[in-house]
Amino acid sequence: MTPRETVNQGAKTRRAFMLGFRLLIFLAFVGATLFGGDALVRKVMQTSPALFLASILTSRRVPTDLVFGAISGAIFIACAFRRRFFCRRVCPLGACVDVAAYARRRLFKRPALRFGATRVLRPFPILALVWLAALLVPLLNRNVSIPFDLTPLAFDPTSLLASWLRGDALGVSLAFFVGCFLVASYAWRFQVCPCGLFQDLLFLPTAIVQRIRKRLRKKALDKAPNEVEKERESSTTRRNFLLGGATCAVVALFWSFAKRAASNARNVFFRPPGALPSPQFETLCSQCGQCLRACPTRILTTATPQFASSLPLASTTRGTPIVLFERGDGYCEKDCVACADACPTGAIAPITIPTKPSYPIATAVFRLDYCLLYYQQECSICRRECPYDAIDFVWSDEEYASLPTIREEACVGCGRCVVRCPGAGDFVDEEEKHVKALSLKPRDV
């Protein structure tokens, strides 16, 4: 066997080993998502560099699970020394892209069908840069939000694959992904995926060092470059300068639009306990649905027109989780922090049961004309049901009765009093029989 044949055989062996390794990672991810618990899915998703960084920045602490924390940290560091290490070695969605691209090359002979517009699109990752700016800008400035429905982390590869496997996002996102593949085999990886561009930024210092070394080596080998090489190099420099200027202009336009949208947004809905302020929450939420599945009382839902048509929601809110007590008899249990434990990005802070009262959802509001006491009927259900002792009965000389009074400093807006309140349906108009004496309002309204 000649030396060249030996090298080719070694390269084939390495490719086969890497293909088997990526297939094993893909099957493990699918198995954990379909058959594992929510805690396992959350840990597996945090192996993505973007989700790992979002988790670290929001929780301000190292992941408590040493195994998955070490794996995530190792992948994060490896991306700084090997270009797109996560995309090409670990990402389960990237493995699907590579397999589909390999099949496409085998099936078609014409270059347009085999590769699509890859050569045209590769130098222009403007859309991915916009997604990345939407992720990083609100981390630096809490007063800035994003002006579109889907958050940047919703396009993270592990979030997308987990949502598809769980059946949460089989519509627009999957169609958009397939459309990107039809345009070019790697259009998703190089033009859309914010995680891929984030890895390029991690690799940027290493790339600069490599470029400097290459230039020094070239000068040492060729001390007198010809005029053709000089002209080609200057042309490339001008093209890169114009492309960078256009990209900066797009990002600046997006930033100004985001600030204008954030100034018009208003919180008129309820977030899960421990949720970060709206601009940060809407940026870090990956819309993975883990908190919805973890909630034992099923009071969490996505802010969609089906469940929140009466709320004037900003476009940045749609698709993110909100608390909706009107869906049934559910309320936020006092001894439950399942949504905080399930959130993989830190959009919901990792709170504990003792600290949960420090993260109120809303404030209860009392209306006397819908209370049974107003109609001389005995009732004290709200005080009896309140787990935080936030409701007192205070004598009113005007009504000549003891009326419920909400202590706002103790109320966390769990919704239990609202759910248990019987209301005064038999004493009010037919159209208002469903209205109760207790309701909830946002903390800042």
Side-chain angles (χ1 to χ4, degrees):
M1 184 177 291
T2 62
R4 176 170 293 182
E5 292 177 348
T6 303
V7 172
N8 292 337
Q9 186 65 30
K12 291 181 180 179
T13 303
R14 288 192 297 271
R15 284 197 295 268
F17 173 79
M18 186 53 60
L19 179 61
F21 177 71
R22 298 192 68 186
L23 180 62
L24 181 63
I25 291 179
F26 175 76
L27 294 177
F29 186 90
V30 172
T33 303
L34 294 180
F35 307 106
D38 292 329
L40 178 61
V41 175
R42 178 193 181 197
K43 294 173 183 177
V44 171
M45 288 175 61
Q46 281 186 342
T47 56
S48 169
L51 291 177
F52 177 74
L53 179 65
S55 176
I56 294 295
L57 290 177
T58 52
S59 62
R60 302 292 193 273
R61 62 184 178 87
V62 179
T64 54
D65 190 287
L66 296 180
V67 176
F68 280 94
I71 294 175
S72 304
I75 293 174
F76 188 84
I77 295 174
C79 292
F81 297 96
R82 297 294 299 271
R83 187 171 184 267
R84 291 183 179 255
F85 175 82
F86 179 75
C87 285
R88 299 177 176 179
R89 296 292 184 269
V90 182
C91 179
L93 190 58
C96 297
V97 172
D98 288 338
V99 171
Y102 176 80
R104 183 175 182 172
R105 290 194 300 268
R106 289 292 182 180
L107 291 175
F108 301 104
K109 298 299 182 182
R110 293 184 178 181
L113 297 177
R114 294 183 68 187
F115 306 105
T118 303
R119 295 184 178 180
V120 178
L121 293 176
R122 184 169 294 184
F124 302 98
I126 295 179
L127 183 57
L129 186 60
V130 170
W131 291 127
L132 188 65
L135 171 64
L136 296 180
V137 168
L139 291 177
L140 303 177
N141 186 355
R142 294 190 178 185
N143 295 322
V144 177
S145 184
I146 51 178
F148 37 76
D149 294 351
L150 291 175
T151 63
L153 288 181
F155 280 79
D156 183 83
T158 54
S159 297
L160 273 178
L161 189 56
S163 298
W164 295 342
L165 292 173
R166 296 264 185 156
D168 296 332
L170 293 176
V172 178
S173 62
L174 182 57
F176 183 67
F177 177 82
V178 174
C180 289
F181 177 78
L182 294 178
V183 172
S185 299
Y186 293 100
W188 172 269
R189 176 180 293 177
F190 290 102
Q191 278 70 53
V192 181
C193 181
C195 184
L197 186 61
F198 174 66
Q199 293 173 73
D200 282 342
L201 292 182
L202 289 177
F203 182 73
L204 184 60
T206 303
I208 293 176
V209 172
Q210 292 179 354
R211 181 64 63 87
I212 293 175
R213 288 181 177 178
K214 184 177 180 180
R215 288 186 175 239
L216 292 177
R217 191 180 301 112
K218 182 179 179 181
K219 287 184 179 180
L221 295 177
D222 190 5
K223 296 182 178 179
N226 54 43
E227 296 298 329
V228 176
E229 292 295 331
K230 285 185 177 181
E231 183 66 24
R232 183 181 303 172
E233 185 174 343
S234 62
S235 176
T236 303
T237 303
R238 287 194 299 270
R239 185 168 59 251
N240 292 338
F241 175 77
L242 293 176
L243 177 60
T247 304
C248 292
V250 171
V251 174
L253 181 63
F254 163 77
W255 193 343
S256 62
F257 184 57
K259 293 179 70 174
R260 192 181 304 112
S263 62
N264 297 328
R266 184 187 180 193
N267 290 339
V268 291
F269 47 86
F270 309 131
R271 290 295 192 192
L276 297 180
S278 287
Q280 277 192 310
F281 182 88
E282 292 154 3
T283 302
L284 295 177
C285 178
S286 65
Q287 301 181 6
C288 61
Q290 300 301 314
C291 57
L292 275 67
R293 283 184 287 270
C295 181
T297 56
R298 296 295 182 261
I299 61 173
L300 291 183
T301 182
T302 53
T304 57
Q306 289 82 358
F307 295 114
S309 58
S310 61
L311 301 179
L313 300 174
S315 62
T316 56
T317 307
R318 300 190 186 104
T320 58
I322 62 173
V323 181
L324 199 63
F325 297 105
E326 291 80 2
R327 298 184 66 185
D329 296 333
Y331 52 86
C332 187
E333 297 281 358
K334 182 179 180 180
D335 299 330
C336 176
V337 290
C339 58
D341 292 337
C343 180
T345 66
I348 303 176
I351 62 177
T352 60
I353 294 177
T355 62
K356 185 179 178 180
S358 302
Y359 300 90
I361 302 174
T363 301
V365 180
F366 174 72
R367 290 187 60 180
L368 178 61
D369 50 340
Y370 290 98
C371 181
L372 287 174
L373 295 175
Y374 183 76
Y375 301 95
Q376 289 77 45
Q377 303 293 314
E378 292 293 332
C379 183
S380 60
I381 293 178
C382 56
R383 180 175 62 178
R384 185 171 68 249
E385 291 290 337
C386 181
Y388 297 95
D389 296 327
I391 300 178
D392 296 327
F393 275 70
V394 179
W395 178 262
S396 172
D397 293 331
E398 182 179 351
E399 302 295 339
Y400 203 74
S402 294
L403 302 179
T405 302
I406 310 298
R407 293 191 296 113
E408 294 189 1
E409 67 276 5
C411 178
V412 301
C414 67
R416 182 165 180 165
C417 61
V418 177
V419 172
R420 294 288 189 260
C421 177
D426 295 335
F427 300 93
V428 296
D429 297 337
E430 187 68 26
E431 296 180 355
E432 298 181 343
K433 279 191 173 183
H434 65 283
V435 180
K436 297 185 177 183
L438 287 166
S439 60
L440 295 174
K441 70 173 183 179
R443 300 288 293 193
D444 55 352
V445 176

